[in-house]
Amino acid sequence: MRLGLRVPQRLGVDLQHDVAEVARTAEAAGYASLWTYERLLFPESPLEPYAGSSAPWPEHSRQAADPLTVLTAAAVVTEKVRLGTSVLVAALHTPVQLAKTLATLDRISGGRVIAGMGTGWATDELQATGASRADRGRFLDETLDVFDAVWAADPVTFRGPRVVIDNASVLPKPVSKIPVLLAGGGNNLGRNTTPRAVQRIAKRADGWLPLLTAPGPAGAAELRAGWDRIRQLAAEYGRDASRMQMIVVGNVTFTDRPAGPGRAAFVGTLDQVIEDVATAADAGADELIVDLNLQDWFRSTSQMLETAVEIRERVVAS
């Protein structure tokens, strides 16, 4: 299982210097990929709690630098690491412009881009771009359709609910087809459960971007069952499921003492986090994104990087 690292974009980051430092150090340490996330704004009085939880919006999310600009900065100081988004919210973007930006970044990086996409959840962000929660799924579907059209050969002709392209060249093209991974769908997917998000992953995506929610064998079994269900559906749709990849997101929160038996995955001491990395591998993950951006006690990027390098070294050693 490969390891990826989330690049810092949050409040307090020195974007001029820290992005390049993290990108270079992560590549030298053996990380296989670098990842960014998307937060458009920080509402002072949010219309809903954070990310479907009961928690308030964390203060560090007051700044989340533009994900594709950050990845471009990382691209020019690296040679091998893949560059991914986990995730871009489709409804916050104009599809043709997003397709063109991703293709441009793919050219700059020499073909290293992974487009992780999602529907989003924050009403405050959606309404800022003229969308609503009801639009999320259909806007994502149209964005995927536009990717397929404009990343193919010119001239492009496309007609959708919002996008009309009439016999036009849309350049640059990516180096090759950019892998598109989708988030969502939930992890515990029974055989008789096929929500729209799961169908979309199985029918259209090159892979899945789930969270590992529980530690140990139970967490691995839950994640593996969801992945098996997605690949089974993909095969039923006539796709080669063996070509799909599961890249798990690990949102790390360190504690001073070992977290108790009811802890969530990637919450606890460094030893417990290393155990959760092994759990993701046991679940069949092709890659794990280590996200250290949640740590308010990381006072500097160098401190975050020291921990990231230690995690990588301990995983290799184990």
Side-chain angles (χ1 to χ4, degrees):
M1 183 183 71
R2 301 180 300 268
L3 287 185
L5 183 66
R6 189 94 75 178
V7 180
Q9 304 161 248
R10 49 169 287 171
L11 194 66
V13 170
D14 177 1
L15 294 172
Q16 182 179 5
H17 302 104
D18 289 3
V19 171
E21 180 185 0
V22 168
R24 291 191 188 100
T25 303
E27 183 171 65
Y31 276 90
S33 56
L34 299 170
W35 297 81
T36 54
Y37 62 97
E38 183 161 53
R39 279 269 68 79
L40 182 63
L41 47 75
F42 182 91
E44 297 295 338
S45 300
L47 294 173
E48 65 244 310
Y50 191 78
S53 70
S54 59
W57 287 52
E59 183 63 25
H60 65 69
S61 68
R62 188 172 290 275
Q63 171 183 289
D66 178 73
L68 296 179
T69 305
V70 169
L71 282 183
T72 302
V76 299
V77 297
T78 57
E79 295 291 337
K80 297 179 180 179
V81 287
R82 298 186 301 165
L83 305 162
T85 57
S86 177
V87 294
L88 297 176
V89 178
L92 306 184
H93 299 269
T94 302
V96 175
Q97 290 176 319
L98 180 58
K100 190 179 188 75
T101 301
L102 286 166
T104 302
L105 174 56
D106 198 59
R107 282 285 170 183
I108 290 171
S109 68
R112 293 185 278 146
V113 170
I114 307 168
M117 303 294 300
T119 56
W121 57 268
T123 301
D124 293 278
E125 293 185 327
L126 294 166
Q127 67 183 11
T129 57
S132 70
R133 292 180 69 87
D135 298 322
R136 296 178 301 160
R138 65 185 180 87
F139 278 13
L140 175 55
D141 287 333
E142 185 178 26
T143 298
L144 298 179
D145 291 339
V146 169
F147 287 174
D148 289 341
V150 304
W151 290 342
D154 287 326
V156 175
T157 295
F158 178 88
R159 183 173 296 274
R162 294 182 298 159
V163 178
V164 175
I165 305 172
D166 186 11
N167 198 39
S169 294
V170 185
L171 296 168
K173 304 297 184 186
V175 173
S176 58
K177 173 66 168 62
I178 295 173
V180 177
L181 278 64
L182 295 179
N187 295 352
N188 191 11
L189 307 176
R191 287 189 172 273
N192 297 320
T193 304
T194 54
R196 179 73 183 104
V198 176
Q199 294 176 0
R200 184 184 291 114
I201 296 166
K203 185 178 291 187
R204 307 208 58 179
D206 298 302
W208 186 32
L209 285 164
L211 294 169
L212 176 67
T213 57
E222 178 185 81
L223 193 58
R224 190 182 305 111
W227 185 222
D228 287 346
R229 179 59 176 149
I230 286 172
R231 289 183 295 177
Q232 174 192 342
L233 283 172
E236 292 174 5
Y237 290 134
R239 304 186 65 209
D240 182 359
S242 68
R243 298 176 65 86
M244 300 176 71
Q245 56 183 327
M246 177 170 64
I247 300 180
V248 175
V249 181
N251 296 321
V252 177
T253 300
F254 288 119
T255 58
D256 294 331
R257 298 179 180 179
R263 73 182 181 94
F266 296 103
V267 174
T269 63
L270 181 57
D271 287 341
Q272 289 177 309
V273 168
I274 298 300
E275 292 172 2
D276 295 334
V277 173
T279 297
D282 291 342
D286 297 285
E287 193 161 342
L288 171 73
I289 302 169
V290 178
D291 185 355
L292 300 173
N293 279 276
L294 303 179
Q295 294 300 303
D296 286 329
W297 56 266
F298 279 140
R299 299 302 181 190
S300 68
T301 295
S302 61
Q303 185 182 11
M304 184 275 283
L305 275 173
E306 288 175 5
T307 303
V309 171
E310 183 177 1
I311 289 173
R312 164 72 183 166
E313 290 175 345
R314 289 191 56 175
V315 169
V316 170
S318 62

